[in-house]
PDB file of all heavy atoms in Angstrom:
ATOM      1  N   ASP A  20      11.376 -10.541  11.287  1.00  0.00           N
ATOM      2  CA  ASP A  20      10.655 -11.637  10.642  1.00  0.00           C
ATOM      3  C   ASP A  20       9.629 -11.069   9.668  1.00  0.00           C
ATOM      4  O   ASP A  20       9.196  -9.917   9.797  1.00  0.00           O
ATOM      5  CB  ASP A  20       9.963 -12.524  11.679  1.00  0.00           C
ATOM      6  CG  ASP A  20       8.876 -11.780  12.430  1.00  0.00           C
ATOM      7  OD1 ASP A  20       9.195 -11.152  13.449  1.00  0.00           O
ATOM      8  OD2 ASP A  20       7.718 -11.815  11.979  1.00  0.00           O
ATOM      9  N   PRO A  21       9.238 -11.841   8.638  1.00  0.00           N
ATOM     10  CA  PRO A  21       8.368 -11.307   7.573  1.00  0.00           C
ATOM     11  C   PRO A  21       7.044 -10.746   8.065  1.00  0.00           C
ATOM     12  O   PRO A  21       6.577  -9.731   7.555  1.00  0.00           O
ATOM     13  CB  PRO A  21       8.153 -12.527   6.668  1.00  0.00           C
ATOM     14  CG  PRO A  21       9.369 -13.371   6.884  1.00  0.00           C
ATOM     15  CD  PRO A  21       9.721 -13.201   8.334  1.00  0.00           C
ATOM     16  N   LEU A  22       6.413 -11.377   9.066  1.00  0.00           N
ATOM     17  CA  LEU A  22       5.135 -10.875   9.556  1.00  0.00           C
ATOM     18  C   LEU A  22       5.298  -9.481  10.157  1.00  0.00           C
ATOM     19  O   LEU A  22       4.514  -8.571   9.874  1.00  0.00           O
ATOM     20  CB  LEU A  22       4.545 -11.827  10.597  1.00  0.00           C
ATOM     21  CG  LEU A  22       3.211 -11.373  11.229  1.00  0.00           C
ATOM     22  CD1 LEU A  22       2.130 -11.250  10.164  1.00  0.00           C
ATOM     23  CD2 LEU A  22       2.778 -12.337  12.325  1.00  0.00           C
ATOM     24  N   ASN A  23       6.336  -9.303  10.972  1.00  0.00           N
ATOM     25  CA  ASN A  23       6.560  -7.995  11.563  1.00  0.00           C
ATOM     26  C   ASN A  23       6.983  -6.966  10.527  1.00  0.00           C
ATOM     27  O   ASN A  23       6.679  -5.778  10.662  1.00  0.00           O
ATOM     28  CB  ASN A  23       7.613  -8.089  12.670  1.00  0.00           C
ATOM     29  CG  ASN A  23       7.077  -8.774  13.915  1.00  0.00           C
ATOM     30  OD1 ASN A  23       5.889  -8.718  14.201  1.00  0.00           O
ATOM     31  ND2 ASN A  23       7.943  -9.438  14.651  1.00  0.00           N
ATOM     32  N   HIS A  24       7.696  -7.385   9.500  1.00  0.00           N
ATOM     33  CA  HIS A  24       8.036  -6.462   8.419  1.00  0.00           C
ATOM     34  C   HIS A  24       6.784  -5.876   7.803  1.00  0.00           C
ATOM     35  O   HIS A  24       6.736  -4.688   7.448  1.00  0.00           O
ATOM     36  CB  HIS A  24       8.846  -7.188   7.347  1.00  0.00           C
ATOM     37  CG  HIS A  24      10.296  -7.262   7.656  1.00  0.00           C
ATOM     38  ND1 HIS A  24      11.219  -7.768   6.773  1.00  0.00           N
ATOM     39  CD2 HIS A  24      11.008  -6.879   8.751  1.00  0.00           C
ATOM     40  CE1 HIS A  24      12.431  -7.699   7.308  1.00  0.00           C
ATOM     41  NE2 HIS A  24      12.322  -7.171   8.503  1.00  0.00           N
ATOM     42  N   ASP A  25       5.756  -6.683   7.681  1.00  0.00           N
ATOM     43  CA  ASP A  25       4.508  -6.217   7.078  1.00  0.00           C
ATOM     44  C   ASP A  25       3.695  -5.376   8.058  1.00  0.00           C
ATOM     45  O   ASP A  25       3.209  -4.301   7.717  1.00  0.00           O
ATOM     46  CB  ASP A  25       3.692  -7.420   6.602  1.00  0.00           C
ATOM     47  CG  ASP A  25       2.350  -7.008   6.027  1.00  0.00           C
ATOM     48  OD1 ASP A  25       2.307  -6.005   5.295  1.00  0.00           O
ATOM     49  OD2 ASP A  25       1.345  -7.663   6.325  1.00  0.00           O
ATOM     50  N   LEU A  26       3.538  -5.855   9.291  1.00  0.00           N
ATOM     51  CA  LEU A  26       2.648  -5.185  10.231  1.00  0.00           C
ATOM     52  C   LEU A  26       3.270  -3.934  10.846  1.00  0.00           C
ATOM     53  O   LEU A  26       2.541  -3.036  11.286  1.00  0.00           O
ATOM     54  CB  LEU A  26       2.246  -6.150  11.342  1.00  0.00           C
ATOM     55  CG  LEU A  26       1.360  -7.325  10.934  1.00  0.00           C
ATOM     56  CD1 LEU A  26       1.067  -8.223  12.121  1.00  0.00           C
ATOM     57  CD2 LEU A  26       0.057  -6.840  10.320  1.00  0.00           C
ATOM     58  N   MET A  27       4.594  -3.881  10.916  1.00  0.00           N
ATOM     59  CA  MET A  27       5.248  -2.730  11.546  1.00  0.00           C
ATOM     60  C   MET A  27       6.305  -2.141  10.604  1.00  0.00           C
ATOM     61  O   MET A  27       7.515  -2.284  10.821  1.00  0.00           O
ATOM     62  CB  MET A  27       5.858  -3.138  12.879  1.00  0.00           C
ATOM     63  CG  MET A  27       4.811  -3.518  13.900  1.00  0.00           C
ATOM     64  SD  MET A  27       5.467  -3.759  15.572  1.00  0.00           S
ATOM     65  CE  MET A  27       6.366  -5.289  15.356  1.00  0.00           C
ATOM     66  N   PRO A  28       5.854  -1.450   9.553  1.00  0.00           N
ATOM     67  CA  PRO A  28       6.792  -0.935   8.549  1.00  0.00           C
ATOM     68  C   PRO A  28       7.327   0.465   8.849  1.00  0.00           C
ATOM     69  O   PRO A  28       7.790   1.146   7.955  1.00  0.00           O
ATOM     70  CB  PRO A  28       5.917  -0.920   7.286  1.00  0.00           C
ATOM     71  CG  PRO A  28       4.552  -0.588   7.794  1.00  0.00           C
ATOM     72  CD  PRO A  28       4.447  -1.275   9.149  1.00  0.00           C
ATOM     73  N   TYR A  29       7.272   0.899  10.130  1.00  0.00           N
ATOM     74  CA  TYR A  29       7.580   2.294  10.425  1.00  0.00           C
ATOM     75  C   TYR A  29       9.030   2.679  10.145  1.00  0.00           C
ATOM     76  O   TYR A  29       9.339   3.854   9.986  1.00  0.00           O
ATOM     77  CB  TYR A  29       7.212   2.656  11.865  1.00  0.00           C
ATOM     78  CG  TYR A  29       7.742   1.736  12.938  1.00  0.00           C
ATOM     79  CD1 TYR A  29       9.046   1.840  13.405  1.00  0.00           C
ATOM     80  CD2 TYR A  29       6.917   0.777  13.511  1.00  0.00           C
ATOM     81  CE1 TYR A  29       9.519   1.010  14.400  1.00  0.00           C
ATOM     82  CE2 TYR A  29       7.378  -0.053  14.521  1.00  0.00           C
ATOM     83  CZ  TYR A  29       8.685   0.059  14.958  1.00  0.00           C
ATOM     84  OH  TYR A  29       9.147  -0.768  15.951  1.00  0.00           O
ATOM     85  N   ASP A  30       9.971   1.738  10.110  1.00  0.00           N
ATOM     86  CA  ASP A  30      11.347   2.091   9.749  1.00  0.00           C
ATOM     87  C   ASP A  30      11.810   1.292   8.530  1.00  0.00           C
ATOM     88  O   ASP A  30      12.979   0.967   8.382  1.00  0.00           O
ATOM     89  CB  ASP A  30      12.296   1.883  10.932  1.00  0.00           C
ATOM     90  CG  ASP A  30      12.342   0.437  11.433  1.00  0.00           C
ATOM     91  OD1 ASP A  30      11.462  -0.365  11.051  1.00  0.00           O
ATOM     92  OD2 ASP A  30      13.255   0.108  12.212  1.00  0.00           O
ATOM     93  N   ARG A  31      10.861   1.030   7.626  1.00  0.00           N
ATOM     94  CA  ARG A  31      11.173   0.279   6.397  1.00  0.00           C
ATOM     95  C   ARG A  31      11.975   1.125   5.423  1.00  0.00           C
ATOM     96  O   ARG A  31      12.884   0.635   4.747  1.00  0.00           O
ATOM     97  CB  ARG A  31       9.860  -0.176   5.744  1.00  0.00           C
ATOM     98  CG  ARG A  31      10.031  -0.867   4.409  1.00  0.00           C
ATOM     99  CD  ARG A  31       8.688  -1.296   3.864  1.00  0.00           C
ATOM    100  NE  ARG A  31       7.770  -0.170   3.723  1.00  0.00           N
ATOM    101  CZ  ARG A  31       6.501  -0.281   3.359  1.00  0.00           C
ATOM    102  NH1 ARG A  31       5.991  -1.487   3.127  1.00  0.00           N
ATOM    103  NH2 ARG A  31       5.734   0.770   3.237  1.00  0.00           N
ATOM    104  N   VAL A  32      11.633   2.406   5.308  1.00  0.00           N
ATOM    105  CA  VAL A  32      12.341   3.341   4.424  1.00  0.00           C
ATOM    106  C   VAL A  32      12.519   4.654   5.172  1.00  0.00           C
ATOM    107  O   VAL A  32      11.949   4.870   6.247  1.00  0.00           O
ATOM    108  CB  VAL A  32      11.568   3.596   3.106  1.00  0.00           C
ATOM    109  CG1 VAL A  32      11.431   2.326   2.285  1.00  0.00           C
ATOM    110  CG2 VAL A  32      10.203   4.218   3.382  1.00  0.00           C
ATOM    111  N   PHE A  33      13.307   5.554   4.616  1.00  0.00           N
ATOM    112  CA  PHE A  33      13.373   6.901   5.168  1.00  0.00           C
ATOM    113  C   PHE A  33      11.993   7.548   5.088  1.00  0.00           C
ATOM    114  O   PHE A  33      11.265   7.375   4.111  1.00  0.00           O
ATOM    115  CB  PHE A  33      14.372   7.751   4.381  1.00  0.00           C
ATOM    116  CG  PHE A  33      15.800   7.373   4.594  1.00  0.00           C
ATOM    117  CD1 PHE A  33      16.523   6.753   3.590  1.00  0.00           C
ATOM    118  CD2 PHE A  33      16.434   7.641   5.792  1.00  0.00           C
ATOM    119  CE1 PHE A  33      17.850   6.404   3.780  1.00  0.00           C
ATOM    120  CE2 PHE A  33      17.766   7.305   5.996  1.00  0.00           C
ATOM    121  CZ  PHE A  33      18.480   6.683   4.996  1.00  0.00           C
ATOM    122  N   GLU A  34      11.639   8.299   6.129  1.00  0.00           N
ATOM    123  CA  GLU A  34      10.339   8.975   6.184  1.00  0.00           C
ATOM    124  C   GLU A  34      10.574  10.477   6.380  1.00  0.00           C
ATOM    125  O   GLU A  34      10.516  10.996   7.487  1.00  0.00           O
ATOM    126  CB  GLU A  34       9.482   8.405   7.320  1.00  0.00           C
ATOM    127  CG  GLU A  34       9.136   6.929   7.172  1.00  0.00           C
ATOM    128  CD  GLU A  34       8.065   6.655   6.118  1.00  0.00           C
ATOM    129  OE1 GLU A  34       7.691   7.598   5.402  1.00  0.00           O
ATOM    130  OE2 GLU A  34       7.609   5.503   6.030  1.00  0.00           O
ATOM    131  N   PRO A  35      10.865  11.216   5.299  1.00  0.00           N
ATOM    132  CA  PRO A  35      11.225  12.626   5.440  1.00  0.00           C
ATOM    133  C   PRO A  35      10.025  13.507   5.778  1.00  0.00           C
ATOM    134  O   PRO A  35       8.869  13.167   5.521  1.00  0.00           O
ATOM    135  CB  PRO A  35      11.763  13.002   4.048  1.00  0.00           C
ATOM    136  CG  PRO A  35      11.913  11.710   3.304  1.00  0.00           C
ATOM    137  CD  PRO A  35      10.952  10.754   3.915  1.00  0.00           C
ATOM    138  N   ILE A  36      10.342  14.655   6.367  1.00  0.00           N
ATOM    139  CA  ILE A  36       9.397  15.764   6.480  1.00  0.00           C
ATOM    140  C   ILE A  36      10.088  17.000   5.920  1.00  0.00           C
ATOM    141  O   ILE A  36      11.315  17.006   5.745  1.00  0.00           O
ATOM    142  CB  ILE A  36       8.945  16.015   7.933  1.00  0.00           C
ATOM    143  CG1 ILE A  36      10.137  16.431   8.799  1.00  0.00           C
ATOM    144  CG2 ILE A  36       8.257  14.779   8.499  1.00  0.00           C
ATOM    145  CD1 ILE A  36       9.771  17.008  10.142  1.00  0.00           C
ATOM    146  N   VAL A  37       9.322  18.056   5.639  1.00  0.00           N
ATOM    147  CA  VAL A  37       9.893  19.272   5.055  1.00  0.00           C
ATOM    148  C   VAL A  37       9.333  20.492   5.762  1.00  0.00           C
ATOM    149  O   VAL A  37       8.116  20.622   5.947  1.00  0.00           O
ATOM    150  CB  VAL A  37       9.588  19.363   3.544  1.00  0.00           C
ATOM    151  CG1 VAL A  37      10.076  20.696   2.975  1.00  0.00           C
ATOM    152  CG2 VAL A  37      10.241  18.209   2.785  1.00  0.00           C
ATOM    153  N   LEU A  38      10.237  21.388   6.179  1.00  0.00           N
ATOM    154  CA  LEU A  38       9.903  22.721   6.667  1.00  0.00           C
ATOM    155  C   LEU A  38      10.689  23.719   5.845  1.00  0.00           C
ATOM    156  O   LEU A  38      11.929  23.718   5.882  1.00  0.00           O
ATOM    157  CB  LEU A  38      10.277  22.894   8.143  1.00  0.00           C
ATOM    158  CG  LEU A  38       9.386  22.306   9.232  1.00  0.00           C
ATOM    159  CD1 LEU A  38       9.970  22.640  10.599  1.00  0.00           C
ATOM    160  CD2 LEU A  38       7.967  22.821   9.127  1.00  0.00           C
ATOM    161  N   GLY A  39      10.003  24.559   5.069  1.00  0.00           N
ATOM    162  CA  GLY A  39      10.697  25.544   4.251  1.00  0.00           C
ATOM    163  C   GLY A  39      11.648  24.880   3.270  1.00  0.00           C
ATOM    164  O   GLY A  39      11.268  23.962   2.539  1.00  0.00           O
ATOM    165  N   ASN A  40      12.896  25.300   3.278  1.00  0.00           N
ATOM    166  CA  ASN A  40      13.890  24.765   2.351  1.00  0.00           C
ATOM    167  C   ASN A  40      14.678  23.597   2.934  1.00  0.00           C
ATOM    168  O   ASN A  40      15.697  23.212   2.365  1.00  0.00           O
ATOM    169  CB  ASN A  40      14.871  25.871   1.936  1.00  0.00           C
ATOM    170  CG  ASN A  40      14.208  26.910   1.056  1.00  0.00           C
ATOM    171  OD1 ASN A  40      13.325  26.593   0.264  1.00  0.00           O
ATOM    172  ND2 ASN A  40      14.635  28.158   1.193  1.00  0.00           N
ATOM    173  N   ARG A  41      14.210  23.034   4.048  1.00  0.00           N
ATOM    174  CA  ARG A  41      14.941  21.946   4.684  1.00  0.00           C
ATOM    175  C   ARG A  41      14.099  20.682   4.783  1.00  0.00           C
ATOM    176  O   ARG A  41      12.926  20.737   5.121  1.00  0.00           O
ATOM    177  CB  ARG A  41      15.408  22.361   6.082  1.00  0.00           C
ATOM    178  CG  ARG A  41      16.524  23.394   6.082  1.00  0.00           C
ATOM    179  CD  ARG A  41      16.912  23.789   7.503  1.00  0.00           C
ATOM    180  NE  ARG A  41      18.080  24.663   7.515  1.00  0.00           N
ATOM    181  CZ  ARG A  41      18.039  25.981   7.361  1.00  0.00           C
ATOM    182  NH1 ARG A  41      16.863  26.573   7.183  1.00  0.00           N
ATOM    183  NH2 ARG A  41      19.141  26.698   7.382  1.00  0.00           N
ATOM    184  N   MET A  42      14.741  19.576   4.482  1.00  0.00           N
ATOM    185  CA  MET A  42      14.150  18.256   4.657  1.00  0.00           C
ATOM    186  C   MET A  42      14.852  17.579   5.829  1.00  0.00           C
ATOM    187  O   MET A  42      16.064  17.721   5.991  1.00  0.00           O
ATOM    188  CB  MET A  42      14.324  17.413   3.389  1.00  0.00           C
ATOM    189  CG  MET A  42      13.796  15.995   3.482  1.00  0.00           C
ATOM    190  SD  MET A  42      14.314  14.990   2.062  1.00  0.00           S
ATOM    191  CE  MET A  42      13.689  15.971   0.711  1.00  0.00           C
ATOM    192  N   PHE A  43      14.094  16.823   6.629  1.00  0.00           N
ATOM    193  CA  PHE A  43      14.652  16.165   7.807  1.00  0.00           C
ATOM    194  C   PHE A  43      14.360  14.672   7.740  1.00  0.00           C
ATOM    195  O   PHE A  43      13.216  14.270   7.533  1.00  0.00           O
ATOM    196  CB  PHE A  43      14.064  16.768   9.083  1.00  0.00           C
ATOM    197  CG  PHE A  43      14.194  18.269   9.138  1.00  0.00           C
ATOM    198  CD1 PHE A  43      13.150  19.080   8.700  1.00  0.00           C
ATOM    199  CD2 PHE A  43      15.355  18.866   9.590  1.00  0.00           C
ATOM    200  CE1 PHE A  43      13.267  20.463   8.729  1.00  0.00           C
ATOM    201  CE2 PHE A  43      15.486  20.248   9.626  1.00  0.00           C
ATOM    202  CZ  PHE A  43      14.433  21.047   9.193  1.00  0.00           C
TER     203      PHE A  43
END
């Protein structure tokens, strides 16, 4: 629902991290 989309966006887009030459 729209309210939860706003308040809990933790899986709205990919959230990469990087170690050295690798992205996860």
Side-chain angles (χ1 to χ4, degrees):
D20 65 272
L22 178 62
N23 287 331
H24 276 186
D25 177 42
L26 293 178
M27 294 189 289
Y29 51 81
D30 60 346
R31 175 179 57 185
V32 297
F33 289 109
E34 298 285 8
I36 63 166
V37 175
L38 282 181
N40 291 326
R41 289 178 174 85
M42 177 190 304
F43 307 94

